[in-house]
Amino acid sequence: AYLNTLHNKLFFDDEELIYKNIYIQNLSYFPKFFTQNMIAGAGKISNMYRPLLLLSLAFDYRLWKLNPMGFHLTSIMLHFFNGWMVYLVLQKLFNNKFISIFTSLLFIIHPVQTEAVAYASGRTDPLYTFFLLGSLFSALSFFSRQRLNILLFTGSVTLFVFSLLSKESAVILPFLIGLTLIIMDKKNMALRFKSILLIGVFLTVDLIYIILRLTKLNFLNSFNFYDVPTLYSSHLEVRLFTFSKVFFDYILVMLFPKDLIVARKPEIITSIFNPWVLVFTVFIIVAILIMVKNWKFNKIYFFIFGWFFITILPVSGIIPINNIESEHYLYLPSIAIFLLISFLIYKIWTNSERHEIKRLIGVFVIMAVLLLFFRTVVRNYDWRDPESFYTLSLKQSPWNVSMRHNLAMTYAENGKINEAILTYQQVIGLNDRLPNPHHNLANIYRKSGLFNEAEKEYLKALEVDPDSYFSYYALFEMYQETQQLEKLQQILDQIKKLKKFEEIYSLQEK
C-alpha cells in the first residue's frame, strides 16, 4: 500500500526537520536533541520537544544522507510494526483472531493514515505509537504473569518514556492502561498491587515530564500554541464546542475517506445550542446507554469508546493547539473505529445462519478492503513532490496562506520565476503581516537584478518584523553588491543594535 511513497521527495515540514536541520546531520549536536526544541537545528523555535524523533531522523541521515527513499522506508517499517502491535494488544485483551487481525489490517491500509506515513516528517505519530503500543503490550504481559516480572515492568516504563520523548500525546498512556485493567476485570490482590505500582510510576513520569515542559523545556509556551489570544484559544468551552463538529468530521473521513485534506478549517462553535453540540451530546448519551446495556456480556463497546476519547484528548481542544483538525491526529484513535467495524462484521457473520448472507458479507468486506487499499495508493501519489502537493492542497483549501507561501518557494526553487512572483504577491494580498513573503520576494527581485524592488520588499519585511535579521543581512549583502556605501554603513549600524546580534553573528559564522 505504501510502496509508491519510496519515490516521494522531501518537503513541507521536512525542511525544518531534515534537510535544513544541522542537528540531525552532525551527531556532535546529539546532546542538544534533549535540551532544545524540535526545530532548533534549523535556527527556528517551536513548542515541540521530540528528541527521539530527531534521533530517528539522524539515524536515517547517517545511512541515506538526503536520499528520501531511506526516510520513507523507515516510516513504512514503523507503520508495519504498529499494525503488528495492534494485533498483539487486541489479541491479548479479547482473544479473537478475526477481530485482532482485521482491525490490524484496516489500521495498516486505511488512507486516513497516509498523512502520518507518506511524508517523512509525519513519522512522529508512527514513532510514538510504536513505543506506546509496545509499552502497553509489556504492561498487559506484566499483569498476566503470576509473579512480579521486573524485566516486563522495566520494559514497559522505558518504552513509555521513549514514547513521551517521541511526541507529547503519549501522556495519555496511564489512562489507557487503566482502561485495559477495567476490561480484564480480574479482582485478585496480585493484579491490584501490580496495577497500582505500574500506573503510579507512569503518573510520576507524567508529572516529571509536565513540570519539565513548564520550566526547563518550555521553549515557546508549551501549553498554548497561540502568540495572540483568539476566541478559540481563550475559552475552553469554545474549544470543546468546536470539537463536537470536528468529531463528526473525523468519523466521516474514516468511514468514507474520499476527501483527504491536509489543511482543514473547522467552524468555530461558540454556543452550546449549536446543532453539532446537540447532536454530539445525543451521541454520547446513546453510546453510554449501549455500554451499560452490554456491560455484563461484553465490555468491547466500553473499550472502543474509552480508547477513542482518551487518545484524541490531547488534540481535542483541552490544550489550545493552532491546528484544530488534522487527519494525522487519528493515527492512534482510529484503532477504536477499526475495532468497532471488525467487531460488528464478526458479530453479523457469526449470527448469520444462511450461507448466502455470509457470502454477501464476505464479498462486501473484500471489496471494501480493496477500495481502501487503492485509495491509499492514490493518496500517496499526492505526496510525490512539493509542487503537486501544494497545488492540490490549495484547490482544497484556497484560504491557506502557509500552503500558498510554500508553493511560491517551490516555484522559485524550480526556476519558475514569474509564477513565484505572482504567488508571493497573492500571499501578501491575503496576509500582509508576515515578513517571510516580502523577504523571499525580495530575494527573487535581487537575483533578477531588480534592486530597487528588492530593497522595497526587504524594508517592508523589516517594517512588519523589526527583528527579521535575515532581511538585515540580505540588505547588507545587496548594498555591498551595488556599492551603496552610505546605506551599507546605515544597515551595519542597525544590525549591531539588534538584541540578539552576538547570537546571530555566531550562527552566521557556523
Side-chain angles (χ1 to χ4, degrees):
Y2 286 93
L3 187 64
N4 62 334
T5 66
L6 291 175
H7 299 290
N8 288 0
K9 295 183 179 179
L10 297 176
F11 61 96
F12 207 23
D13 292 341
D14 297 341
E15 176 186 346
E16 297 173 342
L17 278 170
I18 301 174
Y19 62 85
K20 288 189 178 179
N21 194 318
I22 60 172
Y23 285 6
I24 73 157
Q25 298 175 19
N26 187 338
L27 286 181
S28 65
Y29 289 103
F30 174 73
K32 291 185 179 292
F33 289 9
F34 297 88
T35 60
Q36 299 294 324
N37 75 86
M38 183 175 70
I39 54 176
K44 298 183 180 182
I45 190 167
S46 127
N47 40 23
M48 307 293 188
Y49 174 70
R50 297 169 183 176
L52 282 198
L53 172 64
L54 293 178
L55 186 61
S56 75
L57 295 173
F59 175 79
D60 277 344
Y61 183 81
R62 295 287 291 180
L63 288 177
W64 310 94
K65 296 303 179 184
L66 290 177
N67 184 344
M69 183 179 290
F71 292 90
H72 293 307
L73 181 62
T74 302
S75 295
I76 293 170
M77 294 307 298
L78 275 171
H79 187 52
F80 165 76
F81 283 116
N82 284 337
W84 181 42
M85 291 304 303
V86 168
Y87 166 77
L88 291 176
V89 168
L90 294 180
Q91 185 64 13
K92 195 85 171 173
L93 281 172
F94 300 109
N95 193 28
N96 185 307
K97 285 193 174 181
F98 173 82
I99 291 175
S100 303
I101 289 174
F102 196 68
T103 302
S104 175
L105 175 64
L106 290 176
F107 175 83
I108 287 174
I109 66 166
H110 198 286
V112 79
Q113 311 292 33
T114 54
E115 191 173 309
V117 183
Y119 89 107
S121 294
R123 181 187 300 176
T124 186
D125 288 287
L127 187 65
Y128 103 90
T129 297
F130 174 71
F131 291 125
L132 184 144
L133 291 176
S135 176
L136 181 57
F137 182 72
S138 299
L140 292 174
S141 301
F142 173 69
F143 293 144
S144 64
R145 300 291 177 90
Q146 289 186 351
R147 294 184 178 182
L148 194 68
N149 190 306
I150 299 300
L151 186 62
L152 287 172
F153 175 83
T154 306
S156 184
V157 174
T158 303
L159 290 171
F160 173 48
V161 173
F162 287 174
S163 187
L164 269 177
L165 296 179
S166 302
K167 190 176 181 181
E168 301 80 356
S169 298
V171 293
I172 48 89
L173 183 52
F175 305 101
L176 290 179
I177 290 178
L179 177 68
T180 59
L181 285 167
I182 295 171
I183 299 301
M184 293 170 71
D185 195 26
K186 294 179 180 178
K187 298 179 180 178
N188 60 71
M189 292 303 295
L191 180 59
R192 286 182 181 178
F193 171 74
K194 289 179 183 178
S195 61
I196 291 171
L197 176 64
L198 190 63
I199 292 178
V201 171
F202 274 42
L203 290 175
T204 303
V205 171
D206 263 353
L207 181 62
I208 294 170
Y209 176 79
I210 290 168
I211 291 172
L212 286 172
R213 292 305 309 276
L214 286 170
T215 53
K216 293 288 186 180
L217 302 176
N218 187 3
F219 308 108
L220 191 67
N221 195 1
S222 296
F223 297 101
N224 189 338
F225 286 43
Y226 288 78
D227 297 326
V228 179
T230 66
L231 179 65
Y232 179 82
S233 67
S234 303
H235 300 280
L236 176 61
E237 68 276 13
V238 171
R239 299 197 295 274
L240 296 180
F241 294 159
T242 299
F243 177 74
S244 65
K245 170 64 166 60
V246 170
F247 170 78
F248 289 106
D249 289 344
Y250 284 156
I251 298 299
L252 180 64
V253 79
M254 282 189 282
L255 295 180
F256 303 101
K258 175 180 173 291
D259 297 318
L260 298 169
I261 303 170
V262 172
R264 293 175 176 267
K265 190 176 183 180
E267 173 192 355
I268 304 301
I269 298 174
T270 59
S271 171
I272 194 172
F273 299 108
N274 183 282
W276 287 112
V277 178
L278 298 176
V279 172
F280 182 72
T281 304
V282 171
F283 170 84
I284 295 295
I285 293 170
V286 171
I288 291 172
L289 290 174
I290 292 172
M291 286 187 291
V292 171
K293 182 180 178 182
N294 292 275
W295 181 258
K296 289 184 178 180
F297 310 103
N298 199 329
K299 295 184 177 66
I300 196 166
Y301 293 112
F302 176 78
F303 179 82
I304 291 166
F305 184 88
W307 182 279
F308 185 87
F309 283 99
I310 290 172
T311 54
I312 205 73
L313 188 66
V315 291
S316 64
I318 297 295
I319 294 172
I321 51 177
N322 50 12
N323 197 4
I324 300 171
E325 180 179 354
S326 192
E327 287 165 15
H328 71 89
Y329 291 160
L330 292 171
Y331 189 77
L332 186 60
S334 64
I335 294 171
I337 306 303
F338 302 146
L339 176 58
L340 177 61
I341 293 169
S342 301
F343 174 69
L344 292 177
I345 291 172
Y346 175 78
K347 197 171 182 181
I348 294 169
W349 175 277
T350 53
N351 290 338
S352 299
E353 297 180 358
R354 295 177 61 183
H355 292 293
E356 294 82 2
I357 295 177
K358 287 189 175 183
R359 287 196 195 97
L360 190 63
I361 295 170
V363 170
F364 172 78
V365 168
I366 291 170
M367 288 180 62
V369 167
L370 289 174
L371 285 171
L372 291 173
F373 177 89
F374 286 115
R375 181 68 184 99
T376 294
V377 172
V378 171
R379 179 56 173 167
N380 291 337
Y381 192 66
D382 295 337
W383 290 88
R384 64 191 181 276
D385 63 72
E387 187 172 332
S388 302
F389 173 75
Y390 296 134
T391 302
L392 173 64
S393 296
L394 283 171
K395 287 180 181 177
Q396 297 171 324
S397 312
W399 50 269
N400 192 280
V401 173
S402 177
M403 288 289 182
R404 198 170 296 275
H405 185 247
N406 289 342
L407 179 61
M409 288 192 294
T410 301
Y411 281 146
E413 289 170 4
N414 293 342
K416 298 181 178 181
I417 302 304
N418 292 332
E419 290 91 335
I421 291 173
L422 177 62
T423 308
Y424 276 127
Q425 289 171 343
Q426 290 173 346
V427 172
I428 292 168
L430 287 169
N431 187 347
D432 199 17
R433 295 174 294 175
L434 300 171
N436 290 354
H438 289 287
H439 177 89
N440 293 340
L441 181 56
N443 287 341
I444 293 177
Y445 285 143
R446 179 180 159 196
K447 288 178 182 177
S448 303
L450 302 172
F451 296 113
N452 289 334
E453 287 81 355
E455 182 181 32
K456 290 177 185 177
E457 294 300 329
Y458 284 134
L459 291 174
K460 184 62 180 178
L462 291 171
E463 180 186 326
V464 173
D465 181 6
D467 291 327
S468 181
Y469 59 86
F470 290 114
S471 298
Y472 282 113
Y473 279 103
L475 272 173
F476 179 83
E477 291 171 351
M478 191 178 75
Y479 290 150
Q480 277 185 318
E481 291 173 23
T482 56
Q483 293 295 303
Q484 299 182 64
L485 300 182
E486 186 176 340
K487 290 183 177 180
L488 181 66
Q489 187 59 49
Q490 288 174 356
I491 204 70
L492 181 60
D493 293 339
Q494 287 179 288
I495 290 173
K496 288 180 178 179
K497 291 177 184 178
L498 286 175
K499 295 177 183 177
K500 296 185 177 181
F501 172 70
E502 293 298 332
E503 180 184 332
I504 295 164
Y505 181 77
S506 174
L507 182 64
Q508 290 291 107
E509 285 294 295
K510 287 180 183 179

